[in-house]
C-alpha cells in the first residue's frame, strides 16, 4: 500500500524531472497506441458496415481513425526530442485529457454499435473493446493518471454492460477481464512507483556528484590559494 500511495503522490505532484522522464517514454509508446486503435477500429468498420446506421458504423469510426492517425503522427514527429519540464508537463496533462475523452468515446461507440451485429460480430466487439482498453492502459502505464482514467472510464462500463447483455452470454468473459484489470492496475501502480523512485535516485546521485565536485574545488582552492591575499601560495608555486 505504501508503494501505491507513493506512486499516486508522485503522479499528481508535477515533478519537473519526473515529467521529462515520463515524456521520453510516452513519446515512444503513444504512436504505437494510436496505431493499434486505428487498426482495430477499421477492423470493426469492415465487420459492422452495412449492418448498423452509416453514421455509427462508418462515419463516426472513420472520423475517430483520422483523429488517431493525426495524433500518432504528431507524437511520432516529436520523437525523442528533449523539451523543457514545463512543456513536457503540459503535454502530458493534455494527453491525459485526450486519453480520457477517447476512452469514453470508444466505449460509448462500441456499446451503441453492439446490438446491430449478429452473434459473431458481437463476439468481435467484446474482443475489440477488451483488447483495446487493456492495450491503452498498458501503453499509458508510465503516465499513471491517463492509465487510471482509461481503466475507470473504459473497463468498468465494459464489465457491467457485458455482464448483463444478451442474458449474460458474455458474463464470464466480462468478469474475467474485470479481475485481470484489477491485477493490471495494481501492477502498473507498483511499476510506476519503481519508475518514480528510479528517477528520484538518479536525481539524488546527480546532486551528490555535483556536491562532490564543488567540495573538491573548494579543497583545491584552500590548498593552493593564500586566504589572506587570494594569490597562489607556495604549494601552487611548486606545483
Amino acid at each position: 500500500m505504501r508503494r501505491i500511495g507513493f506512486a499516486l503522490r508522485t503522479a499528481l505532484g508535477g515533478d519537473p524531472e519526473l515529467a521529462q522522464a515520463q515524456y521520453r517514454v510516452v513519446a515512444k509508446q503513444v504512436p504505437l497506441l494510436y496505431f493499434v486503435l486505428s487498426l482495430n477500429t477499421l477492423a470493426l468498420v469492415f465487420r459492422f458496415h452495412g449492418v448498423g446506421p452509416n453514421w455509427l458504423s462508418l462515419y463516426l469510426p472513420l472520423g475517430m481513425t483520422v483523429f488517431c492517425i493525426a495524433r500518432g503522427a504528431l507524437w511520432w514527429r516529436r520523437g525523442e526530442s528533449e523539451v523543457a519540464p514545463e512543456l513536457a508537463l503540459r503535454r502530458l496533462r493534455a494527453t491525459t485529457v485526450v486519453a480520457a475523452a477517447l476512452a469514453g468515446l470508444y466505449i460509448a461507440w462500441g456499446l451503441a454499435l453492439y446490438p446491430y451485429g449478429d452473434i459473431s460480430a458481437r463476439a468481435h466487439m467484446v474482443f475489440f473493446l477488451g483488447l483495446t482498453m487493456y492495450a491503452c492502459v498498458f501503453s499509458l502505464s508510465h503516465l499513471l493518471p491517463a492509465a487510471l482514467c482509461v481503466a475507470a472510464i473504459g473497463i468498468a462500463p465494459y464489465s457491467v454492460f457485458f455482464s448483463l447483455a444478451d442474458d449474460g452470454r458474455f458474463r464470464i468473459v466480462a468478469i474475467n477481464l474485470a479481475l485481470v484489470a484489477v491485477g493490471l492496475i495494481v501492477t502498473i501502480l507498483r511499476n510506476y512507483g519503481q519508475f518514480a523512485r528510479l528517477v528520484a535516485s538518479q536525481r539524488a546521485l546527480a546532486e551528490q556528484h555535483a556536491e562532490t565536485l564543488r567540495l573538491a574545488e573548494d579543497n583545491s582552492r584552500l590548498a593552493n590559494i593564500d586566504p589572506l591575499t587570494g594569490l597562489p601560495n607556495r604549494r601552487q608555486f611548486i606545483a
Side-chain angles (χ1 to χ4, degrees):
M1 291 302 294
R2 284 186 295 179
R3 292 181 178 181
I4 294 175
F6 174 79
L8 292 174
R9 288 194 302 273
T10 54
L12 301 174
D15 185 336
E17 293 187 16
L18 180 58
Q20 283 186 308
Q22 288 176 289
Y23 182 85
R24 287 191 292 268
V25 177
V26 169
K28 297 177 182 178
Q29 294 179 344
V30 166
L32 179 60
L33 167 62
Y34 281 119
F35 173 76
V36 171
L37 279 176
S38 302
L39 188 64
N40 287 353
T41 304
L42 291 177
L44 273 186
V45 168
F46 178 80
R47 176 66 115 169
F48 279 86
H49 179 52
V51 177
N54 284 335
W55 72 270
L56 189 60
S57 63
L58 182 62
Y59 303 136
L60 178 60
L62 288 182
M64 294 189 298
T65 301
V66 170
F67 177 82
C68 289
I69 292 174
R71 289 285 299 178
L74 176 63
W75 277 99
W76 181 269
R77 287 198 301 269
R78 289 170 177 172
E80 300 180 359
S81 59
E82 290 291 333
V83 298
E86 297 78 11
L87 180 58
L89 196 56
R90 286 200 302 270
R91 287 180 176 177
L92 291 176
R93 287 172 176 169
T95 300
T96 300
V97 174
V98 172
L102 277 180
L105 180 60
Y106 266 91
I107 195 70
W109 168 66
L111 298 185
L113 188 60
Y114 174 82
Y116 293 98
D118 57 17
I119 186 59
S120 177
R122 292 182 178 188
H124 186 182
M125 179 63 76
V126 173
F127 174 78
F128 161 79
L129 289 177
L131 177 65
T132 300
M133 291 301 166
Y134 286 121
C136 292
V137 172
F138 184 79
S139 298
L140 295 169
S141 58
H142 288 84
L143 185 53
L144 188 58
L148 295 180
C149 284
V150 171
I153 295 173
I155 296 176
Y158 170 95
S159 301
V160 174
F161 179 87
F162 288 112
S163 293
L164 303 175
D166 286 338
D167 297 325
R169 185 188 301 270
F170 298 107
R171 182 172 299 160
I172 299 300
V173 175
I175 295 174
N176 183 39
L177 290 178
L179 294 176
V180 172
V182 173
L184 178 63
I185 292 171
V186 172
T187 301
I188 287 174
L189 287 170
R190 290 179 177 175
N191 290 344
Y192 182 85
Q194 294 175 355
F195 175 75
R197 282 192 294 272
L198 176 61
V199 173
S201 65
Q202 289 176 340
R203 176 172 52 202
L205 287 174
E207 292 174 352
Q208 184 179 7
H209 179 67
E211 180 65 15
T212 301
L213 292 178
R214 187 188 66 78
L215 291 174
E217 291 175 357
D218 289 344
N219 290 334
S220 177
R221 180 177 56 81
L222 292 173
N224 294 282
I225 301 297
D226 182 74
L228 182 61
T229 64
L231 298 175
N233 61 14
R234 182 181 179 184
R235 182 193 299 271
Q236 179 67 15
F237 177 77
I238 294 174

